[in-house]
Amino acid sequence: MTGEDFAGRLEAIERDFARALERLEREADLEALRVAYLGRKGSLAQLMSSLPELPAEQRPAAGKRANECKKTLLDLLSAKQDALQAGGQTADRSRFDATLPGRRDWIGSKHPVTLVLDEICAAFTAIGFDVVTGPEIENDFYNFEALNIPREHPARDMQDTLYISDSIVLRTHTSPLQIRTMETSPPPLAVIAPGKVYRRDADLTHTPMFHQIEGLLVDEEVSMADLRGTLTYFVRTIFSKKTRVRFRPSYFPFTEPSAEVDISCVICRGTGFCGADPCRVCKQTGWVEILGCGMVDPAVFEKVDYDPERWTGFAFGLGVERVAMLKYCIDDLRLFFENDVRFLNQFQAC
Ligand code: PHE
């Protein structure tokens, strides 16, 4: 046996003893436990008798450690004895004060991201959209290929993908739901798809997981004006009637034409200034980006066997944390993920 083995066994004795002590309920049983561990033939004494087997230079330290162990056991024993005796007294009914107020349970609150998700879904279901959901672990086909993003396409670099294998990814956006929906339902249709998405990105304004809501509407003769009208309705329902909306030309492989949508900054009301200070949220521009959108690219319709000559549609994808930050004037994204109850409690009344 080495000094290390010896120390390991001492530790095991301490552990077993503490466990046995915890289970013990009657003071009368303490003595038997003491004898089993600390008695002349108890486990500690037995281990001590193997001390001479240790290499001579390890013996002094081992002996010292064994003494410490003995002291630990004795201390635990007397603490337990005190506790058992005290327990007997508190059971005494005369010490029970029935006039003390009871403990109140905490009332939970919904997470701000959930609140905003619910509110956005409600705004869209009110105008006839259905809610659909899909898997967070996606294959290459739905996340990229069917969305007109073939392998080697530079657009794959736009999103820092988390790969599970060569062809399986954590979805980088909710757009795969466009394909999944069209594959299983014939047109016309109007759906929104809320959910978590993942990207290899982490800094002050990005987290590796965040929430998006995808929107897709397919019908005959859908135009960019329908898209603009729908999104303006959404923005004014979620923010205020006075919020302004602006479309900026952009590029997504699965929509043509594509746009990014900004709303007038709700923090500084589009002025770029909060009092005399430049607005931090819109960086003094008066506008903040909240979503990407466009008219469904005919190449996407072909992937799901919709006739691109007949069907037209629009799609959009919006960032939920972004909307929540603007709606509740939160300027630090990390607050959403720290789960500090002092922060979360503030959403109680909503
Ligand atoms: N999927 C895009 C993104 O995550 C957003 C988008 C959705 C753009 C639908 C156009 C249409 O950035």
Side-chain angles (χ1 to χ4, degrees), residues 95-116:
R95 294 179 62 129
F96 180 76
D97 183 353
T99 65
L100 280 174
R103 280 208 196 116
R104 259 207 247 159
D105 281 336
W106 280 26
I107 298 174
S109 51
K110 279 197 180 175
H111 193 280
V113 169
T114 309
L115 287 172
V116 168

Side-chain angles (χ1 to χ4, degrees), residues 62-139:
K64 187 161 171 266
R65 176 74 186 81
N67 280 329
E68 286 166 3
C69 173
K70 185 171 174 185
K71 178 154 181 344
T72 308
L73 300 199
L74 283 170
D75 287 349
L76 285 171
L77 197 69
S78 74
K80 180 74 180 190
Q81 189 160 24
D82 291 348
L84 286 173
Q85 284 169 359
Q89 281 165 21
T90 45
D92 177 0
R93 287 262 151 194
S94 63
R95 294 179 62 129
F96 180 76
D97 183 353
T99 65
L100 280 174
R103 280 208 196 116
R104 259 207 247 159
D105 281 336
W106 280 26
I107 298 174
S109 51
K110 279 197 180 175
H111 193 280
V113 169
T114 309
L115 287 172
V116 168
L117 262 172
D118 288 351
E119 213 176 307
I120 298 174
C121 287
F124 281 106
T125 50
I127 55 169
F129 281 72
D130 286 326
V131 178
V132 295
T133 54
E136 288 168 27
I137 298 173
E138 257 309 357
N139 62 42

Side-chain angles (χ1 to χ4, degrees), residues 18-226:
R19 268 194 214 133
L21 207 55
E22 207 171 296
R23 279 195 297 269
L24 198 137
E25 283 172 7
R26 295 183 315 164
E27 208 184 336
D29 296 335
L30 280 174
E31 180 58 13
L33 194 65
R34 190 192 66 77
V35 172
Y37 282 82
L38 292 153
R40 256 192 314 129
K41 291 189 184 145
S43 357
L44 190 59
Q46 271 176 30
L47 183 60
M48 293 280 260
S49 68
S50 62
L51 209 52
E53 291 168 36
L54 294 185
E57 73 283 4
Q58 293 181 356
R59 271 179 229 155
K64 187 161 171 266
R65 176 74 186 81
N67 280 329
E68 286 166 3
C69 173
K70 185 171 174 185
K71 178 154 181 344
T72 308
L73 300 199
L74 283 170
D75 287 349
L76 285 171
L77 197 69
S78 74
K80 180 74 180 190
Q81 189 160 24
D82 291 348
L84 286 173
Q85 284 169 359
Q89 281 165 21
T90 45
D92 177 0
R93 287 262 151 194
S94 63
R95 294 179 62 129
F96 180 76
D97 183 353
T99 65
L100 280 174
R103 280 208 196 116
R104 259 207 247 159
D105 281 336
W106 280 26
I107 298 174
S109 51
K110 279 197 180 175
H111 193 280
V113 169
T114 309
L115 287 172
V116 168
L117 262 172
D118 288 351
E119 213 176 307
I120 298 174
C121 287
F124 281 106
T125 50
I127 55 169
F129 281 72
D130 286 326
V131 178
V132 295
T133 54
E136 288 168 27
I137 298 173
E138 257 309 357
N139 62 42
D140 189 277
F141 176 77
Y142 290 106
N143 200 79
F144 294 122
E145 198 74 34
L147 287 163
N148 206 23
I149 320 176
R151 222 165 256 279
E152 314 307 334
H153 191 290
R156 289 208 182 191
D157 293 342
M158 282 163 68
Q159 305 180 344
D160 293 314
T161 311
L162 286 159
Y163 282 89
I164 288 178
S165 71
D166 253 5
S167 58
I168 314 272
V169 300
L170 290 181
R171 67 179 177 194
T172 56
H173 49 181
T174 41
S175 300
L177 263 304
Q178 291 186 32
I179 307 300
R180 287 186 176 275
T181 306
M182 290 192 282
E183 251 183 8
T184 49
S185 320
L189 56 83
V191 293
I192 48 164
K196 295 184 170 78
V197 300
Y198 300 84
R199 293 186 195 173
R200 227 181 53 222
D201 218 354
D203 60 29
L204 278 185
T205 52
H206 297 91
T207 47
M209 183 281 291
F210 59 101
H211 296 77
Q212 281 193 337
I213 295 183
E214 192 79 9
L216 172 70
L217 180 142
V218 181
D219 206 334
E220 288 168 346
E221 292 175 27
V222 178
S223 75
M224 199 91 180
D226 297 314

